[in-house]
Amino acid sequence: MVSFSTFVREAAQTDASVVTYHVTATKNVPSILRTGLRPHVGIHSFKSGDMQPAIYVFPSRKALHVARHWIRAYFPDNLTLLQVTVPSSWVMRSQADWERLILKPVPPSHITNLGPYRP
């Protein structure tokens, strides 16, 4: 069986990387930077009927800007913006034009804290 770190390293070598953005509550950042992001069904996904475990990301800063009203309406005040860089094959289209899905765990080495986010 291939280890997780070997899987990530091999995938990164065979697939061009893409930069995406993930918004999270600031209180989650230490854990994310320590253990990475894991696909799951969050409360907002559950309420909207999205039952596919996923990490929701924005494909660009422009898409993040387009979604700012939605983010402001559903998320707490203390938010942090993370840059998530993964192989392009990991990023799937969503029903919403402004978001993408990642269905695989993302290790901490692929995540950069960009600081506070104010929608």
Side-chain angles (χ1 to χ4, degrees), residues 23-26 71-72 75-81 115-119:
V23 176
T24 190
T26 299
I71 294 168
R72 191 179 303 129
F75 290 95
D77 292 334
N78 296 319
L79 298 174
T80 296
L81 180 61
Y117 174 71
R118 293 174 194 87

Side-chain angles (χ1 to χ4, degrees), residues 67-88:
R68 73 190 181 287
H69 299 295
W70 180 84
I71 294 168
R72 191 179 303 129
Y74 287 98
F75 290 95
D77 292 334
N78 296 319
L79 298 174
T80 296
L81 180 61
L82 302 175
Q83 179 178 300
V84 180
T85 305
V86 294
S88 60

Side-chain angles (χ1 to χ4, degrees), residues 1-118:
M1 180 171 177
V2 177
S3 72
F4 180 70
S5 60
T6 300
F7 171 76
V8 169
R9 187 174 48 254
E10 289 175 358
Q13 291 172 351
T14 61
D15 196 357
S17 292
V18 61
V19 172
T20 63
Y21 301 93
H22 179 76
V23 176
T24 190
T26 299
K27 67 180 182 176
N28 297 337
V29 173
S31 174
I32 290 170
L33 294 178
R34 190 174 53 256
T35 63
L37 289 165
R38 301 286 180 244
H40 72 282
V41 177
I43 187 70
H44 299 293
S45 297
F46 182 78
K47 285 181 179 179
S48 67
D50 294 329
M51 302 312 286
Q52 170 75 47
I55 301 162
Y56 288 82
V57 296
F58 299 94
S60 66
R61 290 227 183 205
K62 180 179 179 180
L64 183 61
H65 181 74
V66 167
R68 73 190 181 287
H69 299 295
W70 180 84
I71 294 168
R72 191 179 303 129
Y74 287 98
F75 290 95
D77 292 334
N78 296 319
L79 298 174
T80 296
L81 180 61
L82 302 175
Q83 179 178 300
V84 180
T85 305
V86 294
S88 60
S89 64
W90 290 20
V91 180
M92 312 295 290
R93 285 200 166 271
S94 161
Q95 291 182 2
D97 289 338
W98 43 266
E99 75 180 358
R100 300 293 183 267
L101 309 174
I102 298 174
L103 305 179
K104 300 177 184 213
V106 176
S109 60
H110 288 51
I111 301 167
T112 303
N113 182 351
L114 298 180
Y117 174 71
R118 293 174 194 87

